Amino acid sequence: MYQMLTVGKYGILLQAVKKNMQLLKGLNESQYKAVVSDSDVILCLAGAGTGKTRVLTSRIAHLHHEHRVGTSNMLALTFTRLAGKEMKERIMGLIGEAEGKKLFCNTFHAFCVQVLKEYGHRIGLDSNFMIYDQSDRDSIIKRIISEFHYDTSVNKVLKEAQRPSETDNVEKDVLEELSYRMRENNAVDLDGLLNRTEQLLNEFIDVRDYYKDQYKYVFVDEFQDTSEVQLNIIKLMDPDHLFVVGDDFQAIYGWRGAEVKNIVEFPNHFPTCETIKLTRNYRSTVPIVEASNSLIKHNNNQTNKELVTDVSGTSISFYEYDSEEDEAMETFLQIKDSDVESYSDIAILARTNRLINNMANHLKENGIPCVVLSTNNDPLKESVVQTVIGFIELAVNEKDSWRIKKLVNFPENRLRAMQLEEIELNTVMRDQTYLEALEEYQEKEPKLKSFFNVLSKLRSQIGNLDAHTAFRATVHTLGLIPLYQRLGLDNRVQALAIARDTIERWCQIQRSLGDSDRPDAFLRYLVTKDIQEKMMEDIDAVKLMTIHGSKGLEFEKVFVIGVNEEVFPNLRGDIEEERRLMYVASTRAKSELIISRPIFTKNYGGNEEMKQRSRFINELGLSDE
């Protein structure tokens, strides 16, 4: 019996060793070093297309196979949910689905949600808190300014929040009232997720110790995109083993708080770190890599590295056209005559949404299937869908009172404008939440009983359902389908059906990754999702997006359009960040890179203006064709 157990034990160990040997096979010298290094803190400077995701996932698998580190003791933080999904799927393929599903592999914001759900009560936040998006936050700020008759604006308030001034001002008063209303509604905004987590870890040693003990191995992807707050969260957690990977050449989010200095000055924050550089590019051809190297050399504030590759390919194409219309037509013709296997292998990138939308319209008019990766055309943003989601939010979070004002007269009118004003006044006079004032007002207006009946029914149903079933149950409870069919509003019926299918796909993805598919998880996803979510859909179509939206993606053939001075680089942008943005655009291409610009463009008055060629064309080493 003892011998059988011993053989079984060593059999398992032998199997692990074989898996680890297979895992390390094919890694180049730098990749191998990054995967197996025994250093406690590692900075992996990984250039575009150098296999950083393989290195990161292989290191996780290596630690699991060779050092018997459980994935429940690892924390992998990514920049987008799509990156987290792809990374987790790779890890499950390397170490098995059961163990892979235990790994937390998601965004910083998703991690902060987990922390605040667990310990947010320490700072006055209930576990069923809501996350307000930018429009929610701005709406509350506008209401505060209006109610208190402050002489300020939303932009001034947000500017004060980002860079607090030393003197007292009305903007500080607005922010204080905003904070109060957030607490009243049991809500935080996206910045609040990070700030409140930092506050929690900073103020409570036991919470900090809990996460340090829970996650002894922390991995951070796209470290160049971290903000000061995110860096502070990592430093507060003080993990025993820290592995960060990123590329300062691709730091393009300074405008929303990312600090490129976090990666450039990483050795100053962690003096014992080992720095490993990945410079062999496996994605792009020699002409693309050489041009990208030539471009980025013009920046000063960066680390010292240069990409290399031996993949031969055709030269980069650069075209100048008389007008934007000519540029769109010629781009269409090149796509039509392209020899790529599918439209999904093609991407069109631009500095602005206007250029992307113009190109998309042209492709659609000429029968080319295309998908625009943007926050527009989101089926979950349809008005009727948002209202249904509002009821789900209200059922999940009883304190989420401000949304009731939008819901109380849906789908039937229950209160008149004067009644709504009276209830609003009661909230101030009696120091009540809107929900409390509304419940009390039932004595005056019997129609409100139907609203609270719906709310009560939803609260009894939704708790044990997945998000897809909860959405269907809410639509059914509100009686929307028969109502809209009777009114002939087929567009709303269709909008609800598309949203239902979208939510069902989300639930399927969540379950495949071992993540929650509950309504509260779905509501948080809605606020933290990014435009790359559409890449999860298997659609054979040309992808169009701004260059910011292309980060982390790759395509066989890439068109970069509208490359003119004042547009790209943008006049208001930091020139080094604009150059890094061009670097990101060029390194998305695997085999073909086509860059173009219109010589004449129309201004806002409809008149044609001659534009100068972007300085980036010369810096890439391109010539006219």
Side-chain angles (χ1 to χ4, degrees):
M1 181 68 176
Y2 177 78
Q3 186 178 5
M4 289 176 63
L5 285 172
T6 303
V7 171
K9 177 182 177 182
Y10 281 106
I12 293 172
L13 290 174
L14 182 61
Q15 187 179 28
V17 170
K18 287 181 177 179
K19 285 183 178 179
N20 200 54
M21 290 176 64
Q22 186 66 29
L23 179 76
L24 301 177
K25 187 178 180 180
L27 296 174
N28 66 38
E29 184 179 349
S30 297
Q31 291 174 330
Y32 180 88
K33 186 177 180 182
V35 170
V36 305
S37 173
D38 291 327
S39 297
D40 291 330
V41 181
I42 298 172
L43 167 62
C44 183
L45 293 172
T50 57
K52 73 175 180 65
T53 303
R54 183 186 179 187
V55 165
L56 205 159
T57 54
S58 295
R59 182 168 178 82
I60 290 172
H62 169 74
L63 290 169
H64 176 71
H65 288 316
E66 187 72 10
H67 299 278
R68 314 309 298 158
V69 179
T71 49
S72 58
N73 292 127
M74 300 182 189
L75 175 68
L77 300 172
T78 62
F79 187 65
T80 66
R81 181 171 172 266
L82 175 63
K85 173 182 177 291
E86 292 178 345
M87 193 181 300
K88 193 165 187 176
E89 287 173 341
R90 285 201 199 186
I91 292 168
M92 287 192 290
L94 294 172
I95 66 175
E97 186 174 323
E99 191 67 24
K101 282 185 175 180
K102 296 177 187 177
L103 174 70
F104 186 99
C105 185
N106 212 321
T107 63
F108 257 100
H109 286 97
F111 171 66
C112 291
V113 167
Q114 176 178 289
V115 174
L116 293 176
K117 282 186 68 176
E118 188 77 18
Y119 289 103
H121 62 277
R122 297 278 192 94
I123 53 175
L125 200 62
D126 291 348
S127 61
N128 61 339
F129 65 89
M130 287 289 102
I131 305 173
Y132 287 170
D133 62 19
Q134 180 178 323
S135 62
D136 294 331
R137 178 202 61 198
D138 293 353
S139 178
I140 297 175
I141 292 174
K142 286 178 184 177
R143 179 174 285 272
I144 292 170
I145 293 172
S146 175
E147 289 178 1
F148 288 87
H149 304 289
Y150 285 130
D151 182 18
T152 186
S153 66
V154 172
N155 287 337
K156 288 181 180 178
V157 172
L158 295 179
K159 185 176 180 180
E160 176 66 28
Q162 291 175 346
R163 293 180 176 81
S165 56
E166 296 181 1
T167 58
D168 292 335
N169 52 50
V170 295
E171 287 75 29
K172 280 188 170 65
D173 295 335
V174 174
L175 290 170
E176 185 177 345
E177 180 65 19
L178 174 66
S179 177
Y180 170 78
R181 297 192 185 191
M182 287 283 196
R183 292 195 301 272
E184 283 291 294
N185 293 344
N186 191 35
V188 293
D189 59 12
L190 287 175
D191 289 338
L193 280 176
L194 300 170
N195 293 329
R196 301 298 289 276
T197 300
E198 181 189 22
Q199 175 192 352
L200 190 61
L201 294 173
N202 190 48
E203 293 181 4
F204 297 94
I205 297 175
D206 62 319
V207 176
R208 193 161 67 237
D209 289 344
Y210 170 80
Y211 284 104
K212 178 178 173 60
D213 184 62
Q214 173 68 38
Y215 298 117
K216 295 184 181 298
Y217 292 80
V218 174
F219 306 83
V220 185
D221 189 22
E222 304 287 7
F223 194 77
Q224 76 279 355
D225 294 325
T226 55
S227 64
E228 184 177 354
V229 175
Q230 289 169 329
L231 175 62
N232 288 341
I233 289 172
I234 294 297
K235 293 167 82 172
L236 284 166
M237 289 178 65
D238 187 27
D240 293 341
H241 307 276
L242 176 62
F243 183 93
V244 305
V245 59
D247 179 14
D248 55 297
F249 290 5
Q250 299 182 70
I252 59 174
Y253 291 103
W255 53 276
R256 66 182 191 190
E259 297 278 5
V260 68
K261 67 180 182 181
N262 287 355
I263 191 168
V264 174
E265 300 174 3
F266 185 85
N268 296 336
H269 296 289
F270 302 90
T272 62
C273 81
E274 177 185 13
T275 300
I276 301 172
K277 297 180 182 180
L278 306 182
T279 57
R280 177 156 291 279
N281 179 287
Y282 293 97
R283 174 191 300 159
S284 307
T285 62
V286 170
I288 294 171
V289 167
E290 289 182 347
S292 301
N293 284 336
S294 173
L295 169 80
I296 204 64
K297 282 180 180 177
H298 289 80
N299 274 359
N300 295 315
N301 183 31
Q302 59 188 21
T303 58
N304 180 30
K305 61 182 182 297
E306 184 173 291
L307 294 182
V308 295
T309 187
D310 52 14
V311 180
S312 60
T314 58
S315 300
I316 299 172
S317 299
F318 170 57
Y319 299 104
E320 292 185 316
Y321 302 107
D322 287 338
S323 66
E324 289 182 348
E325 290 74 18
D326 288 344
E327 183 180 41
M329 175 58 74
E330 291 298 328
T331 302
F332 152 70
L333 291 173
Q334 290 185 63
I335 292 173
K336 181 183 176 184
D337 297 335
S338 179
D339 57 357
V340 295
E341 292 184 4
S342 67
Y343 285 122
S344 295
D345 292 328
I346 301 172
I348 301 176
L349 312 180
R351 181 64 180 83
T352 67
N353 279 305
R354 184 188 69 81
L355 293 173
I356 287 298
N357 292 332
N358 287 347
M359 184 63 72
N361 291 336
H362 196 87
L363 293 184
K364 290 173 184 176
E365 289 171 0
N366 287 279
I368 298 291
C370 61
V371 173
V372 177
L373 272 64
S374 74
T375 54
N376 299 324
N377 305 316
D378 185 346
L380 300 180
K381 296 250 182 185
E382 291 288 335
S383 178
V384 63
V385 174
Q386 282 288 296
T387 305
V388 172
I389 291 172
F391 273 96
I392 296 175
E393 286 188 353
L394 198 55
V396 170
N397 178 18
E398 297 181 14
K399 292 185 180 180
D400 189 30
S401 59
W402 82 281
R403 292 191 184 277
I404 301 180
K405 302 167 191 177
K406 297 182 178 181
L407 307 177
V408 68
N409 280 336
F410 182 88
E412 58 178 303
N413 288 326
R414 299 181 177 93
L415 297 173
R416 299 184 303 277
M418 288 184 62
Q419 291 175 305
L420 291 170
E421 290 178 7
E422 184 179 348
I423 294 168
E424 187 83 42
L425 183 61
N426 289 341
T427 64
V428 178
M429 300 294 292
R430 302 176 187 179
D431 193 24
Q432 294 176 315
T433 66
Y434 201 89
L435 179 61
E436 292 169 342
L438 203 60
E439 287 177 326
E440 190 177 281
Y441 204 81
Q442 284 185 87
E443 298 178 8
K444 291 185 178 182
E445 183 50 76
K447 287 183 180 180
L448 279 176
K449 291 182 179 179
S450 64
F451 172 77
F452 283 102
N453 286 339
V454 167
L455 194 54
S456 176
K457 189 172 182 180
L458 290 176
R459 283 174 174 165
S460 65
Q461 290 178 330
I462 284 178
N464 298 318
L465 303 177
D466 60 57
H468 168 245
T469 310
F471 184 83
R472 293 183 63 179
T474 305
V475 171
H476 176 74
T477 301
L478 291 169
L480 297 183
I481 301 301
L483 172 64
Y484 292 147
Q485 287 176 338
R486 187 170 67 251
L487 296 174
L489 297 173
D490 295 337
N491 60 317
R492 296 191 183 184
V493 174
Q494 184 180 15
L496 291 169
I498 294 172
R500 176 201 64 207
D501 294 343
T502 302
I503 297 171
E504 183 176 21
R505 285 195 297 273
W506 176 85
C507 287
Q508 291 170 349
I509 292 172
Q510 290 292 101
R511 288 191 289 268
S512 72
L513 299 173
D515 295 334
S516 173
D517 62 0
R518 298 297 181 184
D520 60 334
F522 172 69
L523 294 173
R524 290 172 181 130
Y525 150 78
L526 287 178
V527 183
T528 58
K529 69 175 181 171
D530 56 81
I531 65 170
Q532 290 189 2
E533 296 290 329
K534 287 188 179 180
M535 291 296 293
M536 296 184 188
E537 301 176 7
D538 187 17
I539 301 174
D540 185 21
V542 176
K543 304 300 190 298
L544 298 96
M545 68 203 83
T546 63
I547 301 166
H548 282 100
S550 72
K551 181 74 176 299
L553 304 179
E554 59 181 40
F555 303 88
E556 285 293 336
K557 191 168 191 170
V558 171
F559 293 85
V560 185
I561 62 173
V563 187
N564 279 324
E565 282 290 318
E566 300 181 7
V567 175
F568 197 15
N570 187 286
L571 278 175
R572 296 186 297 274
D574 173 77
I575 185 58
E576 293 212 347
E577 182 157 319
E578 289 289 307
R579 188 173 285 112
R580 293 194 293 267
L581 195 59
M582 185 70 221
Y583 180 86
V584 167
S586 61
T587 54
R588 296 313 92 197
K590 296 167 73 174
S591 57
E592 289 187 75
L593 177 60
I594 301 97
I595 300 174
S596 63
R597 80 176 192 98
I599 297 173
F600 292 93
T601 64
K602 291 183 179 178
N603 59 25
Y604 289 110
N607 299 317
E608 284 195 337
E609 291 182 346
M610 178 180 283
K611 294 294 183 181
Q612 286 188 343
R613 174 191 299 181
S614 170
R615 71 192 74 179
F616 297 154
I617 301 301
N618 290 333
E619 292 177 0
L620 284 162
L622 303 183
S623 58
D624 296 349
E625 186 172 325

